[in-house]
Amino acid sequence: MAEFLNNYGFLIVTVVQQALLGMSLYYPLSAGQLSLASPGFYALGGYIAAIIGTAELFAPWRDLLGKAVFPLEWIIAGVASALLSLVIGLPALRLRGIYLALATIAFVQIVRVISLNLSITGGAIGIFGIPQLFESRWGYIWIFGPLLAATLLFTWRLEQGRIGRAFRAIREDELAAEAMGINPTRYKAQAFIIGGTLAGVVGAMSAPFLNTWNARQGTFDASIAYLAYVLIGGTRSLWGALLGAALLATLPEILRPLNDSRLIINGMVLVIVSIYLPQGIVGALARLRGAGKKKGVPAGGKT
Amino acid sequence: MTGLLDVKGVSRCFGGLKAVNDVSFRVEKGEIFGLIGPNGAGKTTLFNLISGLTPVSGGILSYDGVPLNSLPPHKVARLGIGRTFQNIRLFKGLSALENVKIARHSRTRAGLWGSVFGFPASHREEQEVKQRAGEILALVGLDNRADELASSFSYGDQRRLEIARALALEPRLLLLDEPAAGMNSAEKHGLTQFIREIRDRFNLTILLIEHHVPLVMGLCDRIAVLNFGELIALGPPAEVQKDPSVIEAYLGGD
Ligand SMILES: Nc1ncnc2c1ncn2[C@@H]1O[C@H](COP(=O)(O)OP(=O)(O)OP(=O)(O)O)[C@@H](O)[C@H]1O
Ligand SMILES: [Mg+2]
Protein backbone atom coordinates (compact mmCIF):
# COMPACT_ATOMS: atom_id res chain seq x y z
CA MET A 1 0.00 0.00 0.00
CA ALA A 2 2.74 2.41 1.02
CA GLU A 3 4.57 1.66 -2.17
CA PHE A 4 1.48 2.08 -4.26
CA LEU A 5 0.86 5.50 -2.74
CA ASN A 6 4.50 6.37 -3.25
CA ASN A 7 4.19 5.62 -6.93
CA TYR A 8 0.67 6.78 -7.65
CA GLY A 9 -0.31 9.11 -4.79
CA PHE A 10 0.74 12.22 -6.66
CA LEU A 11 -1.08 11.07 -9.77
CA ILE A 12 -4.32 10.38 -7.90
CA VAL A 13 -4.27 13.76 -6.18
CA THR A 14 -3.52 15.38 -9.52
CA VAL A 15 -6.53 13.69 -11.13
CA VAL A 16 -8.80 14.99 -8.37
CA GLN A 17 -7.30 18.46 -8.61
CA GLN A 18 -7.65 18.54 -12.38
CA ALA A 19 -11.22 17.25 -12.13
CA LEU A 20 -12.02 20.20 -9.87
CA LEU A 21 -10.59 22.58 -12.44
CA GLY A 22 -12.64 20.88 -15.13
CA MET A 23 -15.72 21.40 -12.96
CA SER A 24 -14.92 25.11 -12.69
CA LEU A 25 -15.37 25.32 -16.44
CA TYR A 26 -18.44 23.10 -16.42
CA TYR A 27 -20.67 25.63 -14.63
CA PRO A 28 -20.56 28.37 -17.25
CA LEU A 29 -20.82 25.66 -19.90
CA SER A 30 -23.97 24.31 -18.27
CA ALA A 31 -25.46 27.77 -18.77
CA GLY A 32 -24.33 27.70 -22.40
CA GLN A 33 -21.28 29.92 -21.93
CA LEU A 34 -17.90 28.89 -23.25
CA SER A 35 -15.57 30.49 -20.73
CA LEU A 36 -11.88 29.62 -20.51
CA ALA A 37 -11.18 31.94 -17.58
CA SER A 38 -10.49 29.26 -14.96
CA PRO A 39 -6.67 29.31 -15.12
CA GLY A 40 -6.77 33.04 -14.38
CA PHE A 41 -8.65 32.47 -11.11
CA TYR A 42 -6.56 29.39 -10.37
CA ALA A 43 -3.40 31.49 -10.73
CA LEU A 44 -4.87 34.25 -8.57
CA GLY A 45 -5.84 31.82 -5.80
CA GLY A 46 -2.41 30.21 -5.91
CA TYR A 47 -0.61 33.52 -5.63
CA ILE A 48 -2.77 34.54 -2.70
CA ALA A 49 -1.89 31.33 -0.86
CA ALA A 50 1.77 31.52 -1.85
CA ILE A 51 2.10 35.13 -0.71
CA ILE A 52 0.33 34.56 2.60
CA GLY A 53 2.46 31.46 3.07
CA THR A 54 5.83 33.06 2.37
CA ALA A 55 5.81 36.87 2.51
CA GLU A 56 7.44 38.60 5.47
CA LEU A 57 4.37 40.79 5.75
CA PHE A 58 2.20 37.83 6.74
CA ALA A 59 4.64 36.27 9.22
CA PRO A 60 2.52 37.42 12.20
CA TRP A 61 -0.54 35.69 10.70
CA ARG A 62 1.39 32.46 10.27
CA ASP A 63 2.77 32.59 13.79
CA LEU A 64 -0.62 33.33 15.23
CA LEU A 65 -2.67 30.83 13.25
CA GLY A 66 -0.32 27.93 12.69
CA LYS A 67 -1.96 25.45 10.30
CA ALA A 68 -5.23 27.38 10.47
CA VAL A 69 -3.63 29.84 8.08
CA PHE A 70 -4.33 27.38 5.25
CA PRO A 71 -8.15 27.46 5.45
CA LEU A 72 -7.87 31.23 5.76
CA GLU A 73 -5.93 31.27 2.47
CA TRP A 74 -8.68 29.25 0.79
CA ILE A 75 -11.35 31.60 2.03
CA ILE A 76 -9.49 34.73 0.97
CA ALA A 77 -8.74 33.19 -2.43
CA GLY A 78 -12.39 32.19 -2.83
CA VAL A 79 -13.72 35.62 -1.92
CA ALA A 80 -11.17 37.42 -4.11
CA SER A 81 -11.97 35.13 -7.06
CA ALA A 82 -15.70 35.58 -6.57
CA LEU A 83 -15.35 39.36 -6.62
CA LEU A 84 -13.05 39.30 -9.62
CA SER A 85 -15.46 36.93 -11.44
CA LEU A 86 -18.24 39.39 -10.89
CA VAL A 87 -16.17 42.30 -12.19
CA ILE A 88 -14.93 40.36 -15.24
CA GLY A 89 -18.10 38.38 -15.83
CA LEU A 90 -20.63 41.18 -16.12
CA PRO A 91 -19.00 42.85 -19.13
CA ALA A 92 -17.55 39.65 -20.65
CA LEU A 93 -20.84 37.74 -20.59
CA ARG A 94 -22.35 40.24 -22.99
CA LEU A 95 -20.22 38.47 -25.57
CA ARG A 96 -21.40 35.26 -27.12
CA GLY A 97 -19.83 31.98 -28.16
CA ILE A 98 -16.30 32.21 -29.41
CA TYR A 99 -16.04 35.91 -28.54
CA LEU A 100 -16.59 35.13 -24.87
CA ALA A 101 -13.96 32.40 -25.13
CA LEU A 102 -11.50 34.88 -26.63
CA ALA A 103 -12.21 37.51 -23.97
CA THR A 104 -11.65 34.99 -21.19
CA ILE A 105 -8.38 33.84 -22.79
CA ALA A 106 -7.34 37.49 -22.82
CA PHE A 107 -8.15 37.66 -19.11
CA VAL A 108 -5.92 34.65 -18.43
CA GLN A 109 -3.11 36.32 -20.39
CA ILE A 110 -3.54 39.57 -18.47
CA VAL A 111 -3.27 37.78 -15.12
CA ARG A 112 -0.16 36.05 -16.42
CA VAL A 113 1.52 39.23 -17.63
CA ILE A 114 0.71 41.05 -14.39
CA SER A 115 2.13 38.21 -12.31
CA LEU A 116 5.29 38.19 -14.44
CA ASN A 117 5.85 41.85 -13.75
CA LEU A 118 5.02 42.32 -10.10
CA SER A 119 7.64 41.85 -7.45
CA ILE A 120 5.19 40.49 -4.89
CA THR A 121 4.46 37.53 -7.21
CA GLY A 122 8.17 36.90 -7.70
CA GLY A 123 8.27 38.04 -11.33
CA ALA A 124 9.37 35.42 -13.82
CA ILE A 125 10.83 33.18 -11.11
CA GLY A 126 7.66 33.02 -9.09
CA ILE A 127 7.33 31.97 -5.48
CA PHE A 128 9.00 28.85 -4.14
CA GLY A 129 9.45 27.06 -0.85
CA ILE A 130 5.76 27.39 -0.04
CA PRO A 131 5.11 25.86 3.40
CA GLN A 132 3.46 22.47 3.35
CA LEU A 133 0.18 21.46 4.90
CA PHE A 134 0.95 17.73 4.81
CA GLU A 135 4.06 15.62 5.10
CA SER A 136 3.57 13.86 1.79
CA ARG A 137 2.03 14.62 -1.62
CA TRP A 138 -0.59 11.99 -0.93
CA GLY A 139 -1.72 13.89 2.17
CA TYR A 140 -3.30 16.50 -0.08
CA ILE A 141 -6.03 14.03 -0.97
CA TRP A 142 -7.51 15.03 2.40
CA ILE A 143 -8.27 18.48 1.09
CA PHE A 144 -8.83 17.89 -2.62
CA GLY A 145 -10.91 14.76 -2.01
CA PRO A 146 -13.49 16.37 0.27
CA LEU A 147 -13.58 19.45 -1.96
CA LEU A 148 -14.39 17.27 -4.98
CA ALA A 149 -17.05 15.37 -3.04
CA ALA A 150 -18.59 18.63 -1.82
CA THR A 151 -18.46 20.10 -5.32
CA LEU A 152 -20.19 17.08 -6.86
CA LEU A 153 -22.86 17.14 -4.18
CA PHE A 154 -23.33 20.88 -4.59
CA THR A 155 -23.64 20.51 -8.36
CA TRP A 156 -26.04 17.61 -8.12
CA ARG A 157 -28.34 19.55 -5.80
CA LEU A 158 -27.99 22.71 -7.85
CA GLU A 159 -29.01 20.93 -11.04
CA GLN A 160 -32.14 19.47 -9.49
CA GLY A 161 -33.51 22.82 -8.48
CA ARG A 162 -34.65 26.14 -9.82
CA ILE A 163 -31.22 27.62 -10.49
CA GLY A 164 -29.96 24.57 -12.37
CA ARG A 165 -33.09 24.64 -14.51
CA ALA A 166 -32.46 28.30 -15.31
CA PHE A 167 -28.89 27.42 -16.41
CA ARG A 168 -30.17 24.65 -18.68
CA ALA A 169 -32.91 26.82 -20.13
CA ILE A 170 -30.34 29.47 -21.09
CA ARG A 171 -28.08 26.82 -22.60
CA GLU A 172 -30.93 25.38 -24.66
CA ASP A 173 -32.42 28.66 -25.90
CA GLU A 174 -31.52 31.93 -24.27
CA LEU A 175 -34.28 33.91 -25.96
CA ALA A 176 -37.00 31.43 -25.01
CA ALA A 177 -35.64 31.34 -21.47
CA GLU A 178 -35.98 35.11 -21.30
CA ALA A 179 -39.54 34.94 -22.57
CA MET A 180 -40.23 32.46 -19.74
CA GLY A 181 -39.18 35.00 -17.13
CA ILE A 182 -35.53 34.06 -16.65
CA ASN A 183 -32.98 36.87 -16.46
CA PRO A 184 -30.09 35.46 -18.50
CA THR A 185 -27.52 38.01 -17.34
CA ARG A 186 -28.09 37.08 -13.73
CA TYR A 187 -27.75 33.34 -14.16
CA LYS A 188 -24.87 33.49 -16.61
CA ALA A 189 -23.06 35.64 -14.05
CA GLN A 190 -23.91 33.19 -11.25
CA ALA A 191 -22.55 30.25 -13.23
CA PHE A 192 -19.41 32.19 -14.07
CA ILE A 193 -18.86 33.24 -10.45
CA ILE A 194 -19.33 29.70 -9.12
CA GLY A 195 -16.72 28.47 -11.60
CA GLY A 196 -14.29 31.30 -10.85
CA THR A 197 -14.60 30.85 -7.09
CA LEU A 198 -13.96 27.13 -7.33
CA ALA A 199 -10.89 27.67 -9.52
CA GLY A 200 -9.55 30.23 -7.04
CA VAL A 201 -9.96 27.91 -4.06
CA VAL A 202 -8.33 25.03 -5.97
CA GLY A 203 -5.44 27.38 -6.78
CA ALA A 204 -5.00 28.25 -3.12
CA MET A 205 -4.93 24.55 -2.20
CA SER A 206 -2.55 23.77 -5.05
CA ALA A 207 0.17 26.25 -4.19
CA PRO A 208 1.43 24.24 -1.19
CA PHE A 209 0.75 20.99 -3.06
CA LEU A 210 3.02 22.03 -5.92
CA ASN A 211 5.45 23.80 -3.59
CA THR A 212 6.21 26.53 -6.14
CA TRP A 213 3.90 28.95 -7.90
CA ASN A 214 4.73 30.90 -11.02
CA ALA A 215 3.28 32.30 -14.21
CA ARG A 216 3.22 28.84 -15.80
CA GLN A 217 0.28 27.90 -13.58
CA GLY A 218 -2.26 29.96 -15.47
CA THR A 219 -1.82 29.57 -19.20
CA PHE A 220 -3.81 29.11 -22.36
CA ASP A 221 -2.67 25.47 -22.44
CA ALA A 222 -4.35 24.94 -19.09
CA SER A 223 -7.59 26.46 -20.42
CA ILE A 224 -7.59 23.97 -23.25
CA ALA A 225 -6.74 21.07 -20.96
CA TYR A 226 -9.69 21.83 -18.64
CA LEU A 227 -12.00 22.24 -21.60
CA ALA A 228 -10.79 18.87 -22.93
CA TYR A 229 -11.70 17.17 -19.63
CA VAL A 230 -15.25 18.40 -19.88
CA LEU A 231 -15.62 17.73 -23.60
CA ILE A 232 -14.19 14.24 -23.37
CA GLY A 233 -16.05 13.35 -20.21
CA GLY A 234 -19.32 14.93 -21.27
CA THR A 235 -20.61 18.49 -21.05
CA ARG A 236 -24.06 17.52 -19.91
CA SER A 237 -23.26 15.65 -16.74
CA LEU A 238 -21.58 16.63 -13.53
CA TRP A 239 -19.47 13.46 -13.79
CA GLY A 240 -17.99 14.51 -17.12
CA ALA A 241 -15.14 16.58 -15.74
CA LEU A 242 -14.08 13.83 -13.32
CA LEU A 243 -14.11 11.15 -16.00
CA GLY A 244 -12.32 13.35 -18.50
CA ALA A 245 -9.65 14.37 -16.00
CA ALA A 246 -9.16 10.76 -14.93
CA LEU A 247 -8.64 9.69 -18.51
CA LEU A 248 -6.53 12.58 -19.75
CA ALA A 249 -4.35 13.01 -16.67
CA THR A 250 -3.54 9.31 -16.34
CA LEU A 251 -3.13 8.46 -19.99
CA PRO A 252 0.35 10.00 -20.32
CA GLU A 253 1.43 8.03 -17.22
CA ILE A 254 0.01 4.74 -18.44
CA LEU A 255 1.66 5.25 -21.79
CA ARG A 256 4.98 6.31 -20.29
CA PRO A 257 6.81 3.11 -21.38
CA LEU A 258 6.08 4.04 -24.98
CA ASN A 259 8.19 7.19 -24.67
CA ASP A 260 7.66 9.65 -27.47
CA SER A 261 4.85 7.82 -29.23
CA ARG A 262 2.66 8.27 -26.12
CA LEU A 263 1.99 11.87 -27.08
CA ILE A 264 0.69 10.67 -30.44
CA ILE A 265 -1.56 8.08 -28.80
CA ASN A 266 -2.75 10.68 -26.30
CA GLY A 267 -3.69 13.00 -29.14
CA MET A 268 -5.38 10.17 -31.03
CA VAL A 269 -7.58 9.33 -28.04
CA LEU A 270 -8.69 12.97 -27.94
CA VAL A 271 -9.57 12.99 -31.63
CA ILE A 272 -11.32 9.63 -31.55
CA VAL A 273 -13.43 10.45 -28.53
CA SER A 274 -14.50 13.80 -29.91
CA ILE A 275 -15.49 12.27 -33.25
CA TYR A 276 -17.24 9.12 -32.04
CA LEU A 277 -18.60 10.29 -28.70
CA PRO A 278 -19.88 13.80 -29.35
CA GLN A 279 -21.69 13.75 -25.97
CA GLY A 280 -18.54 12.62 -24.22
CA ILE A 281 -18.04 9.42 -22.28
CA VAL A 282 -20.91 10.06 -19.88
CA GLY A 283 -23.26 10.76 -22.78
CA ALA A 284 -22.24 7.52 -24.47
CA LEU A 285 -22.76 5.52 -21.26
CA ALA A 286 -26.17 7.09 -20.72
CA ARG A 287 -27.15 6.20 -24.27
CA LEU A 288 -26.04 2.61 -23.79
CA ARG A 289 -28.01 2.35 -20.58
CA GLY A 290 -31.11 4.01 -21.98
CA ALA A 291 -30.98 2.25 -25.35
CA GLY A 292 -33.80 -0.09 -24.40
CA LYS A 293 -36.04 2.46 -22.76
CA LYS A 294 -36.27 5.37 -25.23
CA LYS A 295 -36.36 7.88 -22.40
CA GLY A 296 -34.97 11.38 -22.34
CA VAL A 297 -31.82 11.85 -20.34
CA PRO A 298 -31.94 15.46 -19.23
CA ALA A 299 -28.69 16.99 -18.17
CA GLY A 300 -28.26 16.95 -14.47
CA GLY A 301 -29.96 13.80 -13.43
CA LYS A 302 -33.62 13.32 -12.76
CA THR A 303 -36.16 15.97 -13.65
CA MET B 1 -64.92 45.33 -20.10
CA THR B 2 -61.67 47.10 -19.40
CA GLY B 3 -58.48 47.22 -21.42
CA LEU B 4 -55.59 44.93 -20.60
CA LEU B 5 -53.16 45.65 -23.40
CA ASP B 6 -52.92 49.09 -24.90
CA VAL B 7 -51.03 49.56 -28.17
CA LYS B 8 -50.70 53.26 -29.01
CA GLY B 9 -49.10 54.42 -32.24
CA VAL B 10 -46.50 51.66 -32.09
CA SER B 11 -43.88 51.42 -34.84
CA ARG B 12 -40.83 49.35 -35.56
CA CYS B 13 -38.38 49.87 -38.42
CA PHE B 14 -35.74 47.47 -39.68
CA GLY B 15 -33.43 49.72 -41.68
CA GLY B 16 -35.78 51.38 -44.15
CA LEU B 17 -38.51 48.78 -43.72
CA LYS B 18 -41.45 49.75 -41.54
CA ALA B 19 -42.35 46.32 -40.24
CA VAL B 20 -44.94 47.81 -37.86
CA ASN B 21 -46.20 51.27 -38.70
CA ASP B 22 -48.15 53.42 -36.25
CA VAL B 23 -50.44 50.66 -35.04
CA SER B 24 -53.01 51.32 -32.31
CA PHE B 25 -55.58 49.03 -30.71
CA ARG B 26 -56.69 47.89 -27.31
CA VAL B 27 -57.23 44.33 -26.15
CA GLU B 28 -59.98 43.98 -23.53
CA LYS B 29 -59.80 41.67 -20.54
CA GLY B 30 -61.05 38.18 -21.26
CA GLU B 31 -61.10 38.67 -25.00
CA ILE B 32 -59.79 36.33 -27.67
CA PHE B 33 -58.27 38.81 -30.08
CA GLY B 34 -57.11 37.73 -33.53
CA LEU B 35 -54.23 39.26 -35.42
CA ILE B 36 -54.22 38.40 -39.09
CA GLY B 37 -52.59 39.61 -42.27
CA PRO B 38 -50.58 38.37 -45.25
CA ASN B 39 -47.02 37.06 -44.91
CA GLY B 40 -44.60 39.72 -43.77
CA ALA B 41 -47.39 41.99 -42.52
CA GLY B 42 -45.61 42.52 -39.19
CA LYS B 43 -47.65 40.25 -36.92
CA THR B 44 -44.75 38.38 -35.34
CA THR B 45 -42.81 41.62 -35.04
CA LEU B 46 -45.71 43.07 -33.06
CA PHE B 47 -45.59 40.06 -30.71
CA ASN B 48 -41.86 40.59 -30.28
CA LEU B 49 -42.48 44.23 -29.42
CA ILE B 50 -45.07 43.32 -26.80
CA SER B 51 -42.91 40.63 -25.21
CA GLY B 52 -39.88 42.89 -25.16
CA LEU B 53 -37.70 40.81 -27.48
CA THR B 54 -37.54 43.68 -29.96
CA PRO B 55 -37.44 47.32 -28.80
CA VAL B 56 -40.09 49.63 -30.27
CA SER B 57 -39.00 52.45 -32.58
CA GLY B 58 -41.91 54.60 -31.48
CA GLY B 59 -45.24 54.64 -29.68
CA ILE B 60 -46.38 53.31 -26.33
CA LEU B 61 -47.19 49.80 -25.19
CA SER B 62 -48.86 49.33 -21.85
CA TYR B 63 -50.15 46.32 -19.99
CA ASP B 64 -52.71 46.81 -17.26
CA GLY B 65 -51.55 50.40 -16.93
CA VAL B 66 -47.83 49.50 -16.75
CA PRO B 67 -45.66 50.83 -19.58
CA LEU B 68 -43.79 47.97 -21.29
CA ASN B 69 -41.53 50.01 -23.55
CA SER B 70 -38.28 49.81 -21.63
CA LEU B 71 -38.79 46.44 -19.93
CA PRO B 72 -36.54 43.48 -20.78
CA PRO B 73 -38.36 40.28 -21.84
CA HIS B 74 -37.98 38.51 -18.51
CA LYS B 75 -39.70 41.37 -16.71
CA VAL B 76 -42.52 41.43 -19.26
CA ALA B 77 -42.98 37.70 -18.64
CA ARG B 78 -43.06 38.30 -14.90
CA LEU B 79 -45.85 40.81 -15.33
CA GLY B 80 -47.96 37.98 -16.72
CA ILE B 81 -47.46 37.96 -20.47
CA GLY B 82 -46.75 34.47 -21.80
CA ARG B 83 -46.13 33.53 -25.40
CA THR B 84 -45.42 30.83 -27.93
CA PHE B 85 -43.27 31.13 -31.02
CA GLN B 86 -44.14 30.76 -34.67
CA ASN B 87 -41.04 28.63 -35.22
CA ILE B 88 -41.45 26.65 -31.95
CA ARG B 89 -38.71 27.42 -29.45
CA LEU B 90 -38.94 24.61 -26.95
CA PHE B 91 -35.93 23.57 -24.90
CA LYS B 92 -35.47 20.68 -27.28
CA GLY B 93 -32.79 18.78 -25.41
CA LEU B 94 -34.85 18.69 -22.20
CA SER B 95 -37.84 16.58 -21.22
CA ALA B 96 -41.42 17.80 -21.59
CA LEU B 97 -41.71 18.07 -17.82
CA GLU B 98 -38.56 20.16 -17.57
CA ASN B 99 -39.79 22.49 -20.27
CA VAL B 100 -42.89 23.22 -18.21
CA LYS B 101 -41.03 23.37 -14.88
CA ILE B 102 -38.65 25.99 -16.25
CA ALA B 103 -41.56 28.35 -16.87
CA ARG B 104 -42.37 28.24 -13.13
CA HIS B 105 -39.16 30.20 -12.61
CA SER B 106 -40.70 33.60 -12.05
CA ARG B 107 -43.41 32.17 -9.80
CA THR B 108 -40.87 30.56 -7.47
CA ARG B 109 -38.08 31.97 -5.36
CA ALA B 110 -35.50 29.36 -4.33
CA GLY B 111 -32.00 30.82 -4.48
CA LEU B 112 -28.69 29.08 -4.88
CA TRP B 113 -28.24 28.07 -1.24
CA GLY B 114 -31.88 27.23 -0.75
CA SER B 115 -31.70 24.77 -3.62
CA VAL B 116 -28.38 23.28 -2.63
CA PHE B 117 -29.15 22.78 1.04
CA GLY B 118 -32.79 21.92 0.45
CA PHE B 119 -34.19 24.36 2.99
CA PRO B 120 -37.78 23.46 3.88
CA ALA B 121 -39.23 26.37 1.91
CA SER B 122 -37.25 25.44 -1.20
CA HIS B 123 -38.12 21.81 -0.79
CA ARG B 124 -41.83 22.54 -0.54
CA GLU B 125 -41.61 24.86 -3.49
CA GLU B 126 -39.88 22.17 -5.55
CA GLN B 127 -42.69 19.73 -4.78
CA GLU B 128 -45.20 22.34 -5.88
CA VAL B 129 -43.34 22.98 -9.11
CA LYS B 130 -43.39 19.29 -9.89
CA GLN B 131 -47.06 18.96 -9.14
CA ARG B 132 -48.10 22.07 -11.07
CA ALA B 133 -46.01 21.08 -14.07
CA GLY B 134 -47.61 17.64 -14.03
CA GLU B 135 -51.10 19.13 -13.89
CA ILE B 136 -50.43 21.45 -16.79
CA LEU B 137 -49.01 18.61 -18.88
CA ALA B 138 -52.14 16.62 -18.10
CA LEU B 139 -54.24 19.55 -19.27
CA VAL B 140 -52.66 19.39 -22.74
CA GLY B 141 -52.76 15.59 -22.66
CA LEU B 142 -49.02 15.02 -22.56
CA ASP B 143 -48.65 13.83 -18.97
CA ASN B 144 -47.96 10.26 -20.00
CA ARG B 145 -44.94 11.46 -21.97
CA ALA B 146 -43.53 13.80 -19.33
CA ASP B 147 -40.04 12.29 -19.39
CA GLU B 148 -39.59 12.25 -23.14
CA LEU B 149 -37.39 14.81 -24.83
CA ALA B 150 -39.25 17.74 -26.36
CA SER B 151 -37.46 17.08 -29.66
CA SER B 152 -39.06 13.63 -29.90
CA PHE B 153 -42.60 15.07 -30.08
CA SER B 154 -44.60 15.46 -33.26
CA TYR B 155 -45.15 18.95 -34.62
CA GLY B 156 -48.65 19.23 -33.20
CA ASP B 157 -47.56 17.92 -29.81
CA GLN B 158 -44.67 20.37 -29.73
CA ARG B 159 -47.14 23.21 -30.28
CA ARG B 160 -49.28 21.91 -27.42
CA LEU B 161 -46.21 21.56 -25.21
CA GLU B 162 -45.25 25.13 -26.01
CA ILE B 163 -48.70 26.28 -24.90
CA ALA B 164 -48.33 24.22 -21.73
CA ARG B 165 -45.00 25.90 -21.05
CA ALA B 166 -46.52 29.34 -21.54
CA LEU B 167 -49.40 28.45 -19.21
CA ALA B 168 -46.97 27.39 -16.49
CA LEU B 169 -45.90 31.01 -16.32
CA GLU B 170 -49.41 31.80 -15.02
CA PRO B 171 -49.97 34.52 -17.58
CA ARG B 172 -52.97 36.78 -17.73
CA LEU B 173 -52.25 37.65 -21.34
CA LEU B 174 -51.27 34.81 -23.66
CA LEU B 175 -49.76 35.49 -27.07
CA LEU B 176 -50.09 32.58 -29.50
CA ASP B 177 -48.15 32.85 -32.76
CA GLU B 178 -49.80 30.55 -35.32
CA PRO B 179 -50.65 27.78 -32.86
CA ALA B 180 -52.43 25.71 -35.52
CA ALA B 181 -49.63 25.76 -38.07
CA GLY B 182 -48.73 22.24 -39.10
CA MET B 183 -51.77 20.67 -37.43
CA ASN B 184 -54.28 18.50 -39.30
CA SER B 185 -57.93 19.50 -39.32
CA ALA B 186 -58.92 17.30 -36.39
CA GLU B 187 -56.08 18.79 -34.36
CA LYS B 188 -57.13 22.28 -35.41
CA HIS B 189 -60.66 21.65 -34.23
CA GLY B 190 -59.35 20.33 -30.92
CA LEU B 191 -57.15 23.39 -30.58
CA THR B 192 -60.10 25.76 -30.97
CA GLN B 193 -61.88 23.99 -28.14
CA PHE B 194 -58.75 23.97 -26.07
CA ILE B 195 -58.08 27.70 -26.44
CA ARG B 196 -61.60 28.52 -25.26
CA GLU B 197 -61.23 26.11 -22.40
CA ILE B 198 -57.99 27.60 -21.07
CA ARG B 199 -59.36 31.12 -21.50
CA ASP B 200 -62.27 30.25 -19.21
CA ARG B 201 -60.31 28.17 -16.79
CA PHE B 202 -57.44 30.59 -16.20
CA ASN B 203 -59.29 33.87 -16.88
CA LEU B 204 -56.95 34.53 -19.76
CA THR B 205 -56.91 37.20 -22.37
CA ILE B 206 -55.62 35.76 -25.62
CA LEU B 207 -53.94 37.47 -28.54
CA LEU B 208 -53.67 35.09 -31.43
CA ILE B 209 -51.95 35.17 -34.80
CA GLU B 210 -53.45 32.71 -37.26
CA HIS B 211 -53.58 32.17 -40.99
CA HIS B 212 -56.30 29.55 -40.95
CA VAL B 213 -59.36 31.72 -41.59
CA PRO B 214 -62.17 29.42 -40.33
CA LEU B 215 -60.33 28.98 -37.05
CA VAL B 216 -59.90 32.72 -36.57
CA MET B 217 -63.48 33.51 -37.52
CA GLY B 218 -64.90 30.86 -35.25
CA LEU B 219 -62.76 31.64 -32.26
CA CYS B 220 -62.04 35.33 -32.03
CA ASP B 221 -64.18 38.01 -30.44
CA ARG B 222 -62.44 40.71 -32.44
CA ILE B 223 -59.85 40.78 -35.18
CA ALA B 224 -57.18 43.25 -36.23
CA VAL B 225 -55.80 43.07 -39.74
CA LEU B 226 -52.26 44.15 -40.54
CA ASN B 227 -50.92 44.74 -44.02
CA PHE B 228 -47.41 46.02 -44.72
CA GLY B 229 -47.11 46.99 -41.08
CA GLU B 230 -50.29 49.06 -41.00
CA LEU B 231 -53.54 48.33 -39.26
CA ILE B 232 -56.14 48.23 -42.03
CA ALA B 233 -59.17 46.88 -40.19
CA LEU B 234 -60.36 46.20 -36.67
CA GLY B 235 -63.64 44.71 -35.45
CA PRO B 236 -65.74 41.59 -35.01
CA PRO B 237 -65.00 38.75 -37.47
CA ALA B 238 -68.17 39.23 -39.52
CA GLU B 239 -67.42 42.90 -40.15
CA VAL B 240 -63.74 42.44 -40.90
CA GLN B 241 -64.52 39.68 -43.36
CA LYS B 242 -66.58 42.08 -45.46
CA ASP B 243 -64.13 44.97 -45.27
CA PRO B 244 -63.04 45.83 -48.84
CA SER B 245 -59.47 46.76 -47.85
CA VAL B 246 -59.07 43.36 -46.16
CA ILE B 247 -60.36 41.53 -49.20
CA GLU B 248 -57.98 43.52 -51.35
CA ALA B 249 -55.00 42.85 -49.06
CA TYR B 250 -55.69 39.13 -49.12
CA LEU B 251 -56.41 38.86 -52.83
CA GLY B 252 -53.33 40.96 -53.48
CA GLY B 253 -55.00 43.22 -56.04
CA ASP B 254 -53.47 46.58 -56.80
N1 LIG C 1 -35.07 41.07 -37.12
C1 LIG C 1 -35.45 41.54 -38.30
N2 LIG C 1 -34.57 42.21 -39.08
C2 LIG C 1 -34.95 42.69 -40.28
N3 LIG C 1 -36.17 42.54 -40.79
C3 LIG C 1 -37.08 41.88 -40.08
C4 LIG C 1 -36.77 41.34 -38.80
N4 LIG C 1 -37.88 40.73 -38.31
C5 LIG C 1 -38.83 40.89 -39.25
N5 LIG C 1 -38.36 41.56 -40.31
C6 LIG C 1 -39.14 41.95 -41.48
O1 LIG C 1 -40.30 42.60 -41.02
C7 LIG C 1 -41.42 42.24 -41.82
C8 LIG C 1 -42.51 41.68 -40.94
O2 LIG C 1 -42.11 40.41 -40.49
P1 LIG C 1 -43.00 39.54 -39.52
O3 LIG C 1 -42.22 38.33 -39.20
O4 LIG C 1 -43.44 40.38 -38.40
O5 LIG C 1 -44.23 39.16 -40.44
P2 LIG C 1 -45.47 38.24 -40.12
O6 LIG C 1 -46.66 39.07 -40.29
O7 LIG C 1 -45.30 37.53 -38.85
O8 LIG C 1 -45.38 37.22 -41.34
P3 LIG C 1 -45.65 35.65 -41.40
O9 LIG C 1 -47.10 35.49 -41.61
O10 LIG C 1 -44.87 35.20 -42.58
O11 LIG C 1 -45.17 35.06 -40.13
C9 LIG C 1 -40.90 41.25 -42.85
O12 LIG C 1 -40.67 41.95 -44.05
C10 LIG C 1 -39.63 40.76 -42.27
O13 LIG C 1 -38.71 40.41 -43.27
MG1 LIG D 1 -45.07 35.60 -38.25
Side-chain angles (χ1 to χ4, degrees), chain A residues 154 157-158 160-163 165-166 168-169 171-173 175-183 187 194 295-296 298 303, chain B residues 53 73-74 77 83 85 89 91-95 98 101-102 105 108-110 112-113 115-116 118 126 147 149 165 169:
Chain A
F154 170 91
R157 296 284 311 163
L158 178 79
Q160 288 194 316
R162 177 172 178 264
I163 311 290
R165 277 197 297 273
R168 285 196 289 284
R171 181 193 71 202
E172 290 287 320
D173 187 335
L175 192 139
E178 239 183 318
M180 295 304 126
I182 292 167
N183 179 354
Y187 292 101
I194 296 170
K295 283 231 168 171
T303 41
Chain B
L53 295 172
H74 65 95
R83 69 168 291 174
F85 295 88
R89 299 190 74 141
F91 306 117
K92 291 211 169 65
L94 304 179
S95 71
E98 279 242 295
K101 276 180 163 184
I102 284 169
H105 184 87
T108 47
R109 307 171 46 167
L112 187 63
W113 300 114
S115 298
V116 170
E126 195 60 30
D147 292 330
L149 289 188
R165 184 178 68 173
L169 190 72

Side-chain angles (χ1 to χ4, degrees), chain A residues 216-231:
Chain A
R216 288 216 315 274
Q217 300 307 329
T219 60
F220 174 61
D221 290 7
S223 295
I224 297 305
Y226 307 161
L227 181 62
Y229 301 153
V230 184
L231 292 183

